[in-house]
Amino acid sequence: MKQLRTATLTAILSVTSLGAWAEEDAGAYLAARQAQIQNDFAAAAQYYSQALTRDRANPVIMESAVASFISLGQIDKAITISRSMDELGFNSQIASMAIIAKSVADGKYSEVLDRIAEDRGLGSLGDGLVSGWVKLGLGDMRAASEEFDKVAAQRGLSNFALYHKALALASVGDFEAANDIFAGNGNAPLQRTRRGVIAWSQILSQLERNDEALALLNEVFGSNQDPEITSLSEALGSGEAVTFSLIQNPQDGVAEVFYSIGQALLSESGEQFTLLYARAAEYLSPSHVDTIIMSAELLEVLGRYELATEVYNSVPRDHPSYAASEIGRAEALRRAEKADAAIEVLEQLRKSHPELPMVHVSTGDLYRQNERYEEAIDAYDFALKILEERKSDQWFVHYARAISYERLGLWESAEADFRKALELNPDHPQVMNYLGYSLVEKRIKLDEALNMIERAVKAQPDSGHIVDSLGWVLYRLGRYEEAIGHMERAAELMPVDPVVNDHLGDVLWAVGRFFEAEFQWKRALSFVDEDKPSPDIDPDRIRRKLEVGLDVVLEEEGAEPLKVAEDL
């Protein structure tokens, strides 16, 4: 099985096999492979299906087609090919994923157990957890507990298994036993994942222990709770007996297995393979909003922004996570270069959810990224007003608003916000760098700027932007020889950044290394995207420096000449 999956994901097909195909057959396969490399799942599914019409028994093509359909969320199409693989005797974990999901959805729990017994399942972790849930589906909680306990006995899997055992117990109304597991009575307490804490708080509420549930939420999430946690907290605070709703049946339980494994695999297996688990969970539990958002985020990382927006859009409007999904949808639209559509999504969200600071902050960020700074400030103002009323001031909002003020040339307001951000989050390197660099550009408070930037570099020595700032403040102070090493280091860290290369050119010119300076200015020009002008770089100024040198440009601008700076 492992060899087959590796073949699919790395696209290894023997030269002998490919060479035996007709040219049009090879073309369909190669087009499918190219689409798969580009994460274009729709095209990959189309071309793999076309290739299968010519070679119906090729396991690599079959599994690749299954993976493409699952990635699209088209599980039913994946199942047809998966069953053909079964009939041909090909054992594929990816195909098993689709078949098991379908069998669970149809309530055919015995078929799932038979499949696992024949070693045609998801692997040891998945098989054990799924077996537990399907045995519960067959009405045997004791047998289900035994399956979860078997998995818990395996090294490193205890948390997974006990979490699912607790959910299974709660789903059948045994809240005392479920609480004992979460609390760690007799064992270490379970890791406090977001979904685990939600489940535990619901269990405590069913045990008429709302105060403990509310204390748990406050301990884990603090005062900055997202809408779903806030809604749960309010229900608990009102004395309401909160229903245990995280898992309502064994099908939801198997969906949670896919979701749990997907979360665990993300760091080691990559987004493309993890997406298969997220899609399977989504298929089994369409109301599992966490897995919907997980699928959308994975698609976004994979560059499939259109698919991501569709998935984000499937979150119900009345769900507490709707605002988070809309913010995600707006970001996917932005990354798809549909800024106006993204702004429209967030502006509508501001109307429907005006009480949520994160909605206004996200809107401000989007306006700021599109250089619409006045509108960004307006959105940040709304966010800060809400946060201040809740006594939950946040440094980042002041920092983001400060950048917007600075870009509009409103320096006093910008400086006040930068300093407020540092008051709330002392010595944050990005804030110190931005404020320090801005002071350098204004040629004021240079000693303070140098001190801040040196502290920022100490905190983040591998940040090209911050190292560039240190070299630049030393240049502004006339300490050219000291500046050289830092500017060269910044250029190593950010070799294709036009601003860094331009700065390095200026410093090289200041120490008399004129040919090297011109080389750096030419490099800077080569990295400028003149179709997307940036306020941080002026290509015409660089061209003028190449024509007459930095000294003449400074004289033309009425700036201090380099020799004056050297006398400081």
Side-chain angles (χ1 to χ4, degrees):
M1 175 49 238
K2 185 176 180 181
Q3 291 178 338
L4 181 55
R5 179 161 73 86
T6 302
T8 299
L9 296 180
T10 57
I12 298 173
L13 187 66
S14 72
V15 175
T16 303
S17 174
L18 186 59
W21 287 10
E23 184 176 341
E24 61 270 24
D25 300 328
Y29 174 77
L30 294 173
R33 281 297 310 133
Q34 183 62 28
Q36 189 175 34
I37 291 168
Q38 295 174 342
N39 302 317
D40 187 346
F41 304 118
Q46 175 188 340
Y47 286 119
Y48 279 128
S49 297
Q50 183 178 330
L52 280 175
T53 63
R54 303 280 186 169
D55 191 352
R56 296 181 182 277
N58 187 308
V60 172
I61 298 176
M62 296 177 86
E63 192 179 57
S64 297
V66 169
S68 299
F69 281 121
I70 294 176
S71 298
L72 287 169
Q74 298 175 6
I75 306 294
D76 289 332
K77 292 183 179 179
I79 288 163
T80 301
I81 302 172
S82 298
R83 285 181 171 154
S84 295
M85 294 184 74
D86 257 13
E87 292 169 5
L88 291 167
F90 300 134
N91 191 4
S92 159
Q93 183 181 345
I94 294 174
S96 291
M97 222 182 273
I99 294 171
I100 288 173
K102 176 63 173 173
S103 296
V104 169
D106 291 343
K108 297 178 179 179
Y109 298 124
S110 295
E111 289 185 9
V112 175
L113 291 175
D114 290 344
R115 185 174 192 84
I116 290 172
E118 295 166 2
D119 196 24
R120 292 184 297 139
L122 305 175
S124 59
L125 172 60
D127 288 349
L129 298 178
V130 168
S131 293
W133 282 109
V134 298
K135 285 186 177 180
L136 179 60
L138 290 169
D140 194 340
M141 183 65 221
R142 178 177 293 180
S145 292
E146 290 173 357
E147 290 293 340
F148 293 128
D149 288 341
K150 287 178 188 176
V151 179
Q154 298 179 51
R155 184 176 179 180
L157 301 183
S158 176
N159 254 283
F160 276 106
L162 291 177
Y163 169 67
H164 281 271
K165 182 178 180 180
L167 296 182
L169 288 164
S171 74
V172 297
D174 192 349
F175 299 113
E176 288 284 1
N179 176 65
D180 285 344
I181 292 174
F182 274 109
N185 296 339
N187 298 288
L190 296 187
Q191 291 179 0
R192 293 185 175 183
T193 64
R194 183 179 182 279
R195 287 181 64 79
V197 170
I198 290 173
W200 191 9
S201 66
Q202 292 176 346
I203 289 165
L204 286 168
S205 184
Q206 286 295 304
L207 293 170
E208 300 182 355
R209 294 159 65 177
N210 277 25
D211 289 346
E212 292 178 49
L214 192 56
L216 173 66
L217 294 180
N218 289 332
E219 179 187 347
V220 174
F221 300 108
S223 59
N224 296 319
Q225 299 181 357
D226 64 48
E228 185 171 10
I229 303 300
T230 298
S231 176
L232 180 55
S233 295
E234 289 172 352
L236 291 167
S238 70
E240 176 185 337
V242 177
T243 303
F244 179 74
S245 60
L246 199 80
I247 301 293
Q248 299 186 21
N249 51 53
Q251 183 170 325
D252 285 348
V254 176
E256 191 72 15
V257 172
F258 282 114
Y259 176 76
S260 300
I261 294 176
Q263 290 276 23
L265 286 176
L266 184 55
S267 61
E268 60 183 61
S269 296
E271 292 83 4
Q272 199 175 72
F273 190 59
T274 305
L275 178 61
L276 303 178
Y277 281 90
R279 287 299 215 178
E282 196 182 337
Y283 169 77
L284 281 170
S285 183
S287 62
H288 192 321
V289 169
D290 286 338
T291 202
I292 292 173
I293 292 176
M294 180 183 178
S295 293
E297 288 175 345
L298 289 167
L299 288 164
E300 197 174 341
V301 172
L302 291 167
R304 306 319 304 173
Y305 305 123
E306 297 82 1
L307 276 175
T309 57
E310 289 177 14
V311 177
Y312 279 125
N313 204 30
S314 66
V315 174
R317 291 183 66 87
D318 59 354
H319 193 279
S321 292
Y322 174 73
S325 70
E326 285 293 273
I327 290 170
R329 185 161 73 98
E331 176 61 14
L333 287 167
R334 182 194 71 81
R335 295 180 69 178
E337 299 185 352
K338 297 178 179 179
D340 290 342
I343 288 170
E344 177 62 22
V345 168
L346 291 182
E347 285 294 356
Q348 290 301 316
L349 196 60
R350 290 181 76 189
K351 293 176 183 177
S352 62
H353 293 70
E355 76 285 358
L356 298 180
M358 68 176 181
V359 171
H360 301 291
V361 173
S362 298
T363 307
D365 290 345
L366 185 55
Y367 278 128
R368 178 168 53 85
Q369 290 157 359
N370 284 275
E371 300 179 10
R372 293 168 62 172
Y373 300 114
E374 291 181 354
E375 291 156 298
I377 290 168
D378 176 74
Y380 292 135
D381 286 344
F382 271 94
L384 284 170
K385 182 180 179 181
I386 298 169
L387 291 167
E388 288 164 3
E389 289 173 353
R390 298 179 183 176
K391 298 184 176 8
S392 181
D393 217 350
Q394 295 182 10
W395 71 271
F396 178 80
V397 190
H398 286 283
Y399 174 57
R401 189 173 68 173
I403 293 172
S404 302
Y405 277 132
E406 185 269 335
R407 290 299 186 182
L408 289 173
L410 301 172
W411 175 245
E412 288 186 8
S413 296
E415 185 176 8
D417 260 339
F418 281 130
R419 294 193 184 277
K420 181 64 176 179
L422 284 175
E423 176 189 325
L424 295 169
N425 193 350
D427 297 329
H428 191 284
Q430 295 298 328
V431 183
M432 289 194 296
N433 177 62
Y434 205 115
L435 175 55
Y437 185 85
S438 298
L439 294 171
V440 171
E441 286 299 275
K442 293 184 176 302
R443 307 193 189 193
I444 58 175
K445 305 175 185 177
L446 293 182
D447 289 335
E448 182 188 14
L450 175 60
N451 178 266
M452 278 193 288
I453 294 170
E454 285 178 332
R455 285 152 54 203
V457 169
K458 186 175 181 180
Q460 292 189 355
D462 293 327
S463 168
H465 289 294
I466 297 177
V467 175
D468 170 74
S469 295
L470 179 55
W472 197 238
V473 69
L474 290 168
Y475 165 81
R476 289 296 196 200
L477 288 167
R479 293 158 60 175
Y480 305 134
E481 292 292 347
E482 291 179 66
I484 285 286
H486 297 296
M487 291 308 312
E488 289 178 335
R489 171 62 176 157
E492 288 176 5
L493 292 167
M494 302 178 67
V496 298
D497 186 275
V499 175
V500 171
N501 282 279
D502 183 38
H503 283 174
L504 177 55
D506 286 9
V507 175
L508 289 167
W509 184 277
V511 297
R513 293 161 62 177
F514 304 125
F515 291 115
E516 292 172 82
E518 290 175 355
F519 173 77
Q520 290 303 140
W521 290 332
K522 289 175 182 176
R523 275 178 58 81
L525 272 180
S526 72
F527 300 135
V528 171
D529 184 352
E530 301 208 33
D531 292 331
K532 297 180 180 179
S534 167
D536 297 319
I537 193 79
D538 182 354
D540 290 333
R541 186 175 188 271
I542 298 175
R543 293 187 188 97
R544 184 62 178 158
K545 286 189 291 187
L546 286 166
E547 290 174 3
V548 298
L550 178 58
D551 299 277
V552 174
V553 169
L554 292 174
E555 183 180 354
E556 291 174 347
E557 294 173 344
E560 293 181 345
L562 292 174
K563 62 182 180 180
V564 173
E566 288 177 329
D567 292 337
L568 291 178

